[in-house]
Amino acid sequence: MIYLDNAATSWPKPAAVPRAVAACLRRAASPGRGGHGLSREADKILFAAREALAALFGAENSGTITFAANATDALNTALFGLLAPGDRVVTTSMEHNAVARPLRALEDRGLILEIVGCDRTGALPLDSLDDALDGGAKAVVVTHASNVTGGVMPLADIGRKARAAGALLIVDAAQTAGAEPVDVAAMGIDVMAFSGHKSLLGPQGTGGLYVREGVMVEPLRYGGTGSLSESDRQPPFYPDRLESGTPNTPGIAGLLAGVRYINQRGLEDIRAAEHRLTRELVAGLASISGIEVYGPPPGAPRAAVVSFTVGDRDSGEIAYRLDREHGIACRGGLHCAPWAHKTIGTLSTGTVRFSPGCFTTAADIAAALAAVRSIAAGHGNTH
Ligand code: PLP
């Protein structure tokens, strides 16, 4: 089987990841909730993971990292915890439903939502962003990279514009954390949600939120934190403020092992390899008759995500055949991002999405291209 669905969740994980999960289950208990050795072991894992993530994202203080169940959970915390009825919020037409749905729910409660239309390649026209920010805004909410086209947003430019308008920059880094360089300070990011189970190579059920010092996010969940136990009020300080209840310590142990693997191999090395495979995919697909490839033009920044269609054929059927007839695991459909498909013109067919990861090889890409060539030429079963 060839796995090209890393944009959904990375697979396989480095061997150290399941090892760390198992070791944590054997050696650690509930963090922050006991002075005994097993509890202290759990504390150490959480602290080391926070430190590793803060270093990876260019954050000085690891207390700016709070853990969540996934990027969606972190985005809900950020959006519901920062935005209120009457606030004006600017976002883009390339957002995933993890952003779109909370924002629509907030709009139902009186938020004023301004969606800046991207072009058919998924690029954000910066003058349109300027126009949208002219009316003032509480926040700009933007994905770092689209999970449909792989297009990378110019975060540093967006950050400058947001700051000039007095707006917070809230970033969805689900597709880039661990794959593309992220520097929260240089990019002017105030709040950033990340998945632990995609390019950070951790287990599912992990993710988190970076919150710049001084930004106060209202918690979505209240409860025990192991700190200030004498008080029936939520601790005001991070990370406890946003981390109620027993955390997913085994998952976070695995996430830490994932980040350590990235650091050992080098993010730039992984990135260069994934970008090379992505370029091969784009060029190979574009050379097949009847295939349309979406996303940024050659040379424009792109994460390791490639979407394509085969004529007007249903993308779900193509993905099904790639799996059943050729052993290629990928995803067809709308990828939880209807806004993005409307933007690039694929709302009726969806797209087939190939997303290489850090264990994908050139031979995998060659096999995937051969399979698409065969299906596009009309060979094999029809379903
Ligand atoms: N945002 C984008 C751009 C994504 O691709 C995804 C993943 O599907 C998410 C948010 C949600 O991530 P998670 O599955 O970690 O909640």
Side-chain angles (χ1 to χ4, degrees):
M1 193 265 288
I2 292 171
Y3 186 79
L4 290 177
D5 198 16
N6 290 278
T9 201
S10 54
W11 189 91
K13 309 293 180 185
V17 171
R19 267 204 310 270
V21 174
C24 175
L25 287 167
R26 279 196 303 269
R27 287 192 223 121
S30 184
R33 285 150 176 86
H36 54 78
L38 290 179
S39 174
R40 284 203 308 278
E41 196 54 43
D43 281 336
K44 276 193 223 157
I45 290 167
L46 293 193
F47 182 71
R50 258 188 252 287
E51 289 275 311
L53 288 162
L56 189 67
F57 300 148
E60 266 180 31
N61 171 3
S62 66
T64 55
I65 304 290
T66 58
F67 292 111
N70 44 48
T72 305
D73 186 32
L75 282 162
N76 273 270
T77 297
L79 299 175
F80 283 93
L82 284 166
L83 305 174
D87 284 343
R88 198 163 169 278
V89 168
V90 174
T91 190
T92 84
S93 71
M94 289 303 287
E95 302 309 311
H96 187 276
N97 270 343
V99 166
R101 287 181 175 175
L103 286 180
R104 284 295 192 208
L106 282 158
E107 191 181 33
D108 290 343
R109 302 175 191 185
L111 187 92
I112 302 155
L113 188 57
E114 186 77 42
I115 305 166
V116 180
C118 294
D119 69 20
R120 283 179 75 90
T121 72
L124 175 70
L126 288 175
D127 48 352
S128 305
L129 177 64
D130 285 335
D131 292 344
L133 285 171
D134 264 352
K138 172 79 186 279
V140 175
V141 187
V142 64
T143 189
H144 189 185
S146 162
N147 67 312
V148 175
T149 63
V152 175
M153 293 286 182
L155 275 193
D157 291 333
I158 298 170
R160 257 191 309 280
K161 288 176 186 298
R163 218 171 14 260
L168 292 169
L169 178 60
I170 303 175
V171 173
D172 170 4
Q175 287 299 334
T176 52
E180 297 290 321
V182 171
D183 187 324
V184 288
M187 291 169 162
I189 297 172
D190 296 294
V191 175
M192 184 181 82
F194 57 92
S195 297
H197 61 100
K198 298 185 196 269
S199 292
L200 288 169
L201 307 175
Q204 292 175 33
T206 62
L209 192 67
Y210 159 81
V211 183
R212 178 174 61 73
E213 283 176 83
V215 176
M216 295 316 270
V217 178
E218 285 308 314
L220 202 57
R221 276 181 293 277
Y222 295 79
T225 55
S227 54
L228 300 188
S229 281
E230 69 285 4
S231 170
D232 61 3
R233 298 283 171 177
Q234 192 74 5
F237 48 83
Y238 292 102
D240 304 35
R241 180 181 177 84
L242 299 181
E243 287 183 356
S244 293
T246 306
N248 177 8
T249 313
I252 293 165
L255 172 57
L256 171 60
V259 176
R260 284 181 172 157
Y261 174 87
I262 292 166
N263 289 338
Q264 250 161 32
R265 233 181 103 178
L267 187 137
E268 273 310 323
D269 265 24
I270 294 174
R271 179 171 181 244
E274 288 186 356
H275 282 201
R276 192 172 57 247
L277 297 175
T278 303
R279 281 195 300 275
E280 281 171 20
L281 259 183
V282 171
L285 288 167
S287 72
I288 301 172
S289 163
I291 301 274
E292 185 166 356
V293 184
Y294 299 86
R302 175 179 211 145
V305 175
V306 181
S307 261
F308 64 95
T309 48
V310 184
D312 59 1
R313 286 159 72 178
D314 178 66
S315 60
E317 179 229 317
I318 306 287
Y320 178 83
R321 290 188 55 191
L322 282 164
D323 178 40
R324 292 303 163 97
E325 296 167 18
H326 300 273
I328 291 165
C330 64
R331 188 167 169 192
L334 296 181
H335 320 293
C336 301
W339 288 359
H341 284 278
K342 197 164 169 217
T343 304
I344 66 170
T346 50
L347 198 54
S348 60
T349 51
T351 55
V352 184
R353 183 181 72 182
F354 283 164
S355 46
C358 70
F359 296 113
T360 307
T361 64
D364 293 338
I365 299 301
L369 288 171
V372 175
R373 222 172 272 122
S374 158
I375 291 174
H379 301 312
N381 304 331
T382 44
H383 291 271

